Amino acid sequence: MRTLRILFAKELNATLTSPIGYTVAAVFLLVLGYTFSLTLFATKVANLQYIFHQMYVLSILLVPVLTMRSFAEERRSETLELLLTAPVQELSIVLAKYAATLTLVLGIFTLSLVYAVILDRYGEPDWGQIHAGYLALALHASLLVAVGLLMSSITENQVVAAALSIGIFLMLWFADSVSYLLSPPFDSLALNLSLIGHFKPMVSGSVFVSDIGYFITASMLALFLTTWRLAQR
Amino acid sequence: MTISAIDAAPSDALIQTDHAPAISASNVSKRYGPVSALEGLTLDIHAGEVFGLLGPNGSGKTTFMRLLAGYLLPSAGRLMVAGHDVVGDSLAVRRHIGYVPEAAPLYRQMRVGEFLAFMARLRGVPERNVKGAVERIVDRLALSAVVDKPTRALSRGYRQRTALAQALVHDPDILILDEPTNGLDPRQIIEMRQLIRSLAGRHTVLISSHILSEVEKTCDRVAVLLNGRLLGVRAMADTPDLEAWFLSLT
């Protein structure tokens, strides 16, 4: 546990001292602010659903920028050799990177709460739906960070890691569209893999255990594979 | 600026051949697919000695060191470090070693003191002892002038010394140094050599090099590797002409 804490502190410090995190946060909030103002003035409805969908898309594009460095940079600069020859479990290294990146993403998401506060000030938003929406976003971020780390662990090229991550996210996003082209049982398999298929109900306020299970299982699987990849010597 | 010699003692008295070896390799091989990087290596390294691995680039020196450090796993054979199996008890092995890879990697965003404290914690130094351990190693390796500098701003000599400091900060039994004089100027090479000699006895030191004179001046015993195979092992005291012996083997 002490090792995990030490590694987490190191990763969080690296994340917070890197300009990448701030750039991503700035782009994220700028786009969200623009969308929020536009939607609010156009619809005059106290609803954050549109914003949540916007955050879903932006996360898919921006989380790979945060995760691409994680292992790829350590491998390129050969500091991974220092970590893997210290008395440290591979799982601790993976969990520390996962927790640090997820903390940053959730921190950026938290800043968007200002929109909920504005809606509450001037209207009567459905807070149940907003809570469900943030739960969906947190689970979505967990999956994206875990898969992003996995992609970063298989290459020492950061751009390749980011491209692979975005590719996988887009495939998962559109998996439900592909399901119409497939025959049983592959159609239901593709449908169940769909990222948006599990995200949408929660953002609408319908929280199903199966949807939560999807995000948690996919995150754990990606973290397991990342650990396994690191253990390959 | 010179590096202080620590616990220096006559090296001849330090080769403890009557004790269990600090490092024991038995028929160790490492393959990358069809490519064999190390083939059937059998070798014992005694506690307290400075042991040199000599060979050209690609001879298997780095692979052997990475196997000892737990960064790679052997494809075959048995490798024991400080009495622990590198495959079955890798974490225990890693607690007993300090390792400096050839590139002497450092975390560029950290300052020297911060980096050493991080590595000390990672290598299991109790929190209450971290500050003292870092101060001792900074003093020992004459790093006080750069302790507050970011590691990315260090010269090659200080980089190498900081890399060595991280390997020594937890006072390991066994020190593995891959090409420790790589890129150093002549004065820094002499200082590094003195430092390594001063570690003998208290630590078992394994160094790799492709420079004959370096091994000759630093090591108690030397092994020659070529194409992943061990060609011979000799005590330096029994090798008046290392160059001739090396040429006769290769």
Side-chain angles (χ1 to χ4, degrees):
Chain A
M1 203 60 195
R2 182 186 178 232
T3 310
L4 185 59
R5 211 173 52 241
I6 293 162
L7 287 168
F8 174 70
K10 173 235 165 200
E11 293 300 336
L12 197 60
N13 187 47
T15 306
L16 296 177
T17 52
S18 155
I20 294 177
Y22 295 104
T23 309
V24 166
V27 170
F28 198 88
L29 294 172
L30 203 69
V31 175
L32 275 191
Y34 175 75
T35 311
F36 176 74
S37 314
L38 215 61
T39 315
L40 192 63
F41 286 121
T43 64
K44 308 265 192 295
V45 175
N47 192 325
L48 281 182
Q49 268 201 59
Y50 195 82
I51 287 293
F52 289 146
H53 281 283
Q54 182 93 57
M55 287 167 80
Y56 167 88
V57 177
L58 281 174
S59 306
I60 284 179
L61 297 174
L62 294 178
V63 166
V65 178
L66 297 174
T67 55
M68 66 182 187
R69 282 170 55 93
S70 302
F71 287 104
E73 177 63 15
E74 295 249 24
R75 218 177 268 280
R76 194 197 58 76
S77 64
E78 300 185 33
T79 46
L80 192 61
E81 205 165 339
L82 288 182
L83 285 185
L84 293 177
T85 54
V88 175
Q89 302 272 13
E90 288 85 356
L91 181 63
S92 298
I93 300 171
V94 173
L95 287 181
K97 286 185 183 293
Y98 166 76
T101 314
L102 189 58
T103 301
L104 176 67
V105 177
L106 295 182
I108 297 171
F109 285 177
T110 305
L111 294 175
S112 72
L113 274 171
V114 69
Y115 305 127
V117 173
I118 292 171
L119 288 188
D120 194 50
R121 175 77 179 76
Y122 297 105
E124 290 179 355
D126 180 353
W127 276 99
Q129 197 183 56
I130 291 175
H131 288 146
Y134 275 103
L135 174 66
L137 281 170
L139 291 167
H140 177 59
S142 166
L143 185 151
L144 298 186
V145 170
V147 174
L149 286 182
L150 174 60
M151 294 304 113
S152 181
S153 74
I154 62 176
T155 173
E156 63 178 54
N157 186 314
Q158 297 184 27
V159 178
V160 171
L164 285 173
S165 301
I166 293 175
I168 288 181
F169 298 157
L170 292 179
M171 281 199 291
L172 286 175
W173 183 358
F174 297 118
D176 58 340
S177 311
V178 177
S179 70
Y180 298 113
L181 306 171
L182 300 171
S183 51
F186 300 106
D187 56 345
S188 59
L189 182 71
L191 205 59
N192 283 316
L193 280 175
S194 166
L195 201 53
I196 193 76
H198 294 281
F199 181 81
K200 224 171 182 171
M202 260 194 280
V203 167
S204 314
S206 309
V207 179
F208 297 106
V209 174
S210 59
D211 293 331
I212 295 174
Y214 164 81
F215 285 107
I216 291 176
T217 308
S219 302
M220 285 175 65
L221 179 65
L223 291 174
F224 168 77
L225 290 174
T226 310
T227 308
W228 176 79
R229 170 75 185 106
L230 271 194
Q232 297 303 299
R233 310 281 175 88
Chain B
M1 186 171 299
T2 54
I3 300 165
S4 58
I6 326 99
D7 303 318
S11 60
D12 292 350
L14 299 170
I15 305 173
Q16 300 163 10
T17 48
D18 52 334
H19 290 98
I23 295 169
S24 178
S26 176
N27 215 16
V28 171
S29 298
K30 178 65 185 176
R31 290 183 198 88
Y32 299 100
V35 180
S36 179
L38 213 57
E39 196 62 53
L41 187 138
T42 298
L43 177 70
D44 282 350
I45 299 173
H46 310 304
E49 73 174 329
V50 179
F51 192 95
L53 289 176
L54 189 61
N57 292 331
S59 59
K61 304 187 299 291
T62 296
T63 298
F64 183 54
M65 291 189 149
R66 285 178 164 175
L67 289 172
L68 292 173
Y71 186 62
L72 297 175
L73 293 177
S75 310
R78 189 152 197 235
L79 195 50
M80 303 289 288
V81 176
H84 301 279
D85 190 307
V86 294
V87 178
D89 206 358
S90 178
L91 279 183
V93 168
R94 286 183 261 165
R95 279 189 200 101
H96 285 274
I97 62 154
Y99 173 53
V100 181
E102 186 178 355
L106 310 172
Y107 282 106
R108 291 171 56 81
Q109 78 274 16
M110 291 186 187
R111 294 176 189 282
V112 171
E114 192 187 342
F115 172 68
L116 294 176
F118 166 69
M119 291 308 294
R121 289 187 181 102
L122 207 59
R123 292 180 189 277
V125 175
E127 194 56 45
R128 63 181 178 283
N129 298 341
V130 168
K131 193 166 176 274
V134 171
E135 283 172 358
R136 267 194 302 280
I137 203 68
V138 163
D139 185 45
R140 196 165 155 177
L141 297 193
L143 286 167
S144 52
V146 296
V147 73
D148 292 323
K149 275 193 177 176
T151 61
R152 63 177 174 273
L154 297 180
S155 65
R156 176 72 206 189
Y158 273 121
R159 273 183 67 85
Q160 198 75 25
R161 232 185 275 182
T162 305
L164 184 58
Q166 66 79 22
L168 277 168
V169 72
H170 59 304
D171 198 22
D173 302 328
I174 298 166
L175 200 56
I176 301 167
L177 312 175
D178 197 354
E179 307 271 3
T181 55
N182 232 1
L184 299 183
D185 64 35
R187 186 179 185 84
Q188 292 167 336
I189 289 175
I190 293 167
E191 288 178 1
M192 184 61 75
R193 192 189 303 146
Q194 287 171 342
L195 174 71
I196 292 169
R197 281 305 323 162
S198 75
L199 295 170
R202 185 164 164 187
H203 306 268
T204 305
V205 186
L206 176 64
I207 66 166
S208 72
S209 182
H210 54 269
I211 304 169
L212 288 169
S213 61
E214 269 316 302
V215 172
E216 197 164 27
K217 288 171 182 162
T218 316
C219 301
D220 298 311
R221 286 199 304 151
V222 60
V224 175
L225 288 173
L226 186 70
N227 298 328
R229 289 179 182 277
L230 179 67
L231 300 184
V233 183
R234 272 271 183 92
M236 288 313 304
D238 303 333
T239 315
D241 190 346
L242 180 64
E243 191 175 314
W245 180 62
F246 180 78
L247 288 174
S248 72
L249 288 175
T250 57

